Amino acid sequence: MTFSILARDDSGAFGMAVTSSSPCVAARCLHLRCGVGVVASQNITDPRFGDWLLDRLAEGDSADEALARLREHDGTTAYRQLAVIGAQDAPAVHSGERTLGVHHSRTSEHAVAVGNLLDNTGVVDAVLRQFQSATGEFEQRLLTALKAGLAAGGEAGDLHSAGLAVVRDAGWRETDLRVDWSETPVSDLEALLEMWLPQRRDYVTRGVDPRTAPAYGVPGDE
């Protein structure tokens, strides 16, 4: 049903890219907080887990500790697939025994690839491998990894939604892109990213210091 890549980079940014056969996947599964971490809540999704786990990270838990506390706190984790990356410690993954279909996860020092209802387990391997070798902007590396998963077989069914978000130090999601329903969601997400990246820094400046913000370049904007 869903596969994703979560990561932090050397600058302290956190990001995630995700795609699914279900509609509006990013609205439910993708959770980030500046300076704290990133969480994927997948499979039979409870979006409340995103903020709950980020709160635990903010309190000082490691990713492993946060997941352990969730398993103690909630009785439905057998149905959940979760991935967590905090600011410093190793990433952590949980795939409950009721996770759907072919499912798999891979972790590295700074990234996690995870998926369920996959065409094959090699999808997740390809996602992480491509992220580790990719170059360019953080957002581009996340998208390239997602594309590698699609090329390796993707889901057992057709994909219909996708999303990509990154937090840095602005206080909000500097990139927050979604394709909520499409026959080609990953390609559509790539087109959105190509449009967005050249403008991203300008929008951050408009928020942080509007006195120095560049013009929008639309009629009536001076």
Side-chain angles (χ1 to χ4, degrees), residues 4-205:
S4 62
I5 175 74
L6 302 74
R8 65 184 176 221
D9 76 0
D10 293 339
S11 72
F14 297 98
M16 177 174 166
V18 60
T19 187
S20 178
S21 56
S22 298
C24 308
V25 64
R28 298 185 308 279
C29 298
L30 193 161
H31 310 273
L32 310 97
R33 191 176 300 172
C34 296
V36 175
V38 54
V39 172
S41 175
Q42 300 181 181
N43 200 58
I44 303 172
T45 307
D46 185 338
R48 295 173 296 179
F49 290 164
D51 279 340
W52 196 97
L53 287 163
L54 288 168
D55 286 345
R56 304 293 81 74
L57 293 177
E59 291 172 357
D61 282 2
S62 68
D64 273 328
E65 289 167 341
L67 279 177
R69 289 178 65 178
L70 180 62
R71 285 189 287 264
E72 294 172 358
H73 170 80
D74 189 275
T76 68
T77 53
Y79 295 86
R80 317 300 187 181
Q81 189 174 53
L82 302 155
V84 182
I85 300 178
Q88 295 181 342
D89 299 301
V93 182
H94 165 86
S95 294
E97 57 265 32
R98 302 296 293 272
T99 300
L100 297 169
V102 175
H103 57 89
H104 189 43
S105 64
R106 289 286 302 275
T107 64
S108 67
E109 184 179 2
H110 301 294
V112 177
V114 59
N116 59 79
L117 274 180
L118 299 168
D119 179 77
N120 63 86
T121 59
V123 171
V124 163
D125 298 331
V127 168
L128 185 61
R129 184 168 57 248
Q130 184 61 49
F131 177 77
Q132 292 176 309
S133 64
T135 59
E137 294 265 11
F138 192 24
E139 287 92 337
Q140 292 169 321
R141 294 166 60 205
L142 292 166
L143 180 65
T144 298
L146 207 65
K147 290 171 61 180
L150 179 59
E155 279 196 36
D158 294 333
L159 296 172
H160 287 298
S161 68
L164 190 157
V166 170
V167 292
R168 293 182 173 87
D169 56 3
W172 65 85
R173 296 183 181 191
E174 295 186 16
T175 294
D176 190 3
L177 307 177
R178 299 181 183 182
V179 177
D180 285 341
W181 186 260
S182 170
E183 298 303 313
T184 56
V186 176
S187 295
D188 292 350
L189 185 65
E190 183 175 25
L192 279 174
L193 185 61
E194 289 176 357
M195 177 273 296
W196 171 250
L197 274 183
Q199 306 180 62
R200 184 194 68 209
R201 178 47 53 183
D202 290 347
Y203 279 94
V204 171
T205 302

